[in-house]
Amino acid sequence: MTITAPAPTIDPTAGPQTKGPLRRALGRFFENRAARAGLLIVVPILLAVSTYSLWWPFSPNAIDLRAINKGPSAIHWLGSDGVGRDVMARLLQGGRISLLVAVCSVAISIVIGFLVGAVASFGGRLVDGAVMRFVDLAMTLPPVIFLLVLASIAGTGIAPTILVISLLSWPVLSRMVRARLLELRERDFVVAARGMGAGLPHLLFRHGLPNCIDILVVYATLQIANAILLEAGLSFLGLGIAPPEASWGNMLNLARSTVVLEQYPWQWMFPGAVLVLTVLAINFIGDGLRDAFDPRSDLS
């Protein structure tokens, strides 16, 4: 005689299986139409600027004396500039440089901001007071003047521009991290870890960092757009990426000439359009991530 196990029964009154917080956040993000539109814009731009050397025949600094100030054509899709360089190649190379500067500067500012905010929150009252007064001092400096002074001291080039932008943008993040970790340090698992002799590095990277991931992701996304604009502004003023290296900012610098502005609009119109489109798309993604990681979204 064989005994068969009864078939499992499903309770019709039981609700759906609860999703984890990450899956709920991703679901809210992809429900955001603006965030999806931002992804549809940013992903092709990233693919184009990272792979253009494989499929585009011109290099950004190659000079063709027969194509000086030529408009868009079948050979030069976006035209050429005043010395015969292909605008399409310089546009894609400029996007690569601008995005490289933005990502590296944001990564540095995240490291500085997280460490400063975390040390202030876990270091005790005296450390917290001293560190936050230094942050207050950094935030009271006029950002435009501070940026120009740093840029004039550091000089032009990719590395100095990354350094200047990263030193400008970390104080706001340090305050957000500190606010989150001040609440975290009173929780039972952190108190128990400190009672068992856990040191500051353990508290920062074992408990502090995982609980600040949402802040860091949203901040990084929005700050990348801001860093692209800062790099473009510095390069436009001649304090960022210097020619002959291409960037969206120093390509826009050509528009300072009224001749180029009026007679050769393709030399500045396409870099300006791509710059605006990229920054707008990244801001859409950042807003979508901010709404997705908002804990109040679970209550709505």
Side-chain angles (χ1 to χ4, degrees):
M1 182 178 65
T2 60
I3 300 175
T4 59
T9 58
I10 301 177
D11 186 3
T13 62
Q17 185 177 3
T18 303
K19 297 181 180 179
L22 181 59
R23 292 185 63 185
R24 292 199 302 270
L26 290 176
R28 289 192 296 267
F29 175 78
F30 285 107
E31 289 173 0
N32 190 316
R33 293 182 179 178
R36 294 202 305 268
L39 282 177
L40 291 177
I41 295 171
V42 168
V43 171
I45 291 176
L46 290 176
L47 290 176
V49 300
S50 59
T51 64
Y52 81 92
S53 58
L54 301 177
W55 51 268
W56 189 245
F58 300 100
S59 63
N61 291 320
I63 296 176
D64 184 1
L65 297 179
R66 297 169 299 178
I68 293 177
N69 289 328
K70 295 296 184 180
S73 64
I75 298 176
H76 300 281
W77 291 0
L78 303 183
S80 58
D81 63 7
V83 294
R85 296 174 298 190
D86 183 71
V87 172
M88 179 78 165
R90 292 187 63 77
L91 179 69
L92 295 173
Q93 176 65 16
R96 181 182 293 183
I97 296 299
S98 297
L99 292 172
L100 173 66
V101 169
V103 171
C104 291
S105 62
V106 169
I108 295 173
S109 67
I110 283 178
V111 172
I112 298 174
F114 172 76
L115 291 178
V116 170
V119 169
S121 60
F122 284 122
R125 181 176 300 178
L126 293 178
V127 174
D128 185 22
V131 170
M132 295 316 296
R133 297 298 76 76
F134 175 71
V135 173
D136 292 339
L137 176 63
M139 295 183 69
T140 56
L141 297 175
V144 176
I145 298 176
F146 184 57
L147 184 67
L148 295 177
V149 170
L150 281 178
S152 61
I153 293 173
T156 60
I158 295 178
T161 305
I162 291 174
L163 177 64
V164 168
I165 297 175
S166 63
L167 291 179
L168 184 69
S169 52
W170 62 267
V172 175
L173 177 63
S174 66
R175 280 192 165 277
M176 293 190 294
V177 170
R178 173 181 176 269
R180 171 66 63 85
L181 296 185
L182 282 178
E183 184 270 336
L184 181 74
R185 73 179 186 182
E186 304 300 330
R187 295 191 179 181
D188 293 341
F189 63 90
V190 177
V191 174
R194 301 182 75 167
M196 295 175 65
L200 184 60
H202 177 86
L203 296 174
L204 294 187
F205 299 106
R206 181 66 178 83
H207 300 296
L209 183 59
N211 286 279
C212 293
I213 289 296
D214 55 340
I215 294 177
L216 300 181
V217 169
V218 175
Y219 171 84
T221 307
L222 295 174
Q223 189 59 32
I224 283 176
N226 188 37
I228 291 174
L229 290 176
L230 289 175
E231 182 277 324
L234 287 174
S235 299
F236 179 81
L237 296 173
L239 298 174
I241 308 301
E245 187 63 76
S247 79
W248 289 339
N250 63 28
M251 293 182 72
L252 288 174
N253 192 15
L254 297 174
R256 298 175 67 178
S257 170
T258 55
V259 176
V260 175
L261 186 65
E262 296 174 357
Q263 300 182 17
Y264 312 119
W266 60 86
Q267 296 182 14
W268 57 267
M269 182 175 61
F270 294 117
V274 173
L275 174 65
V276 172
L277 196 63
T278 302
V279 170
L280 190 63
I282 293 176
N283 279 327
F284 284 160
I285 295 173
D287 290 339
L289 288 172
R290 181 184 58 196
D291 295 339
F293 283 110
D294 188 354
R296 291 173 295 183
S297 300
D298 290 330
L299 303 178
S300 60

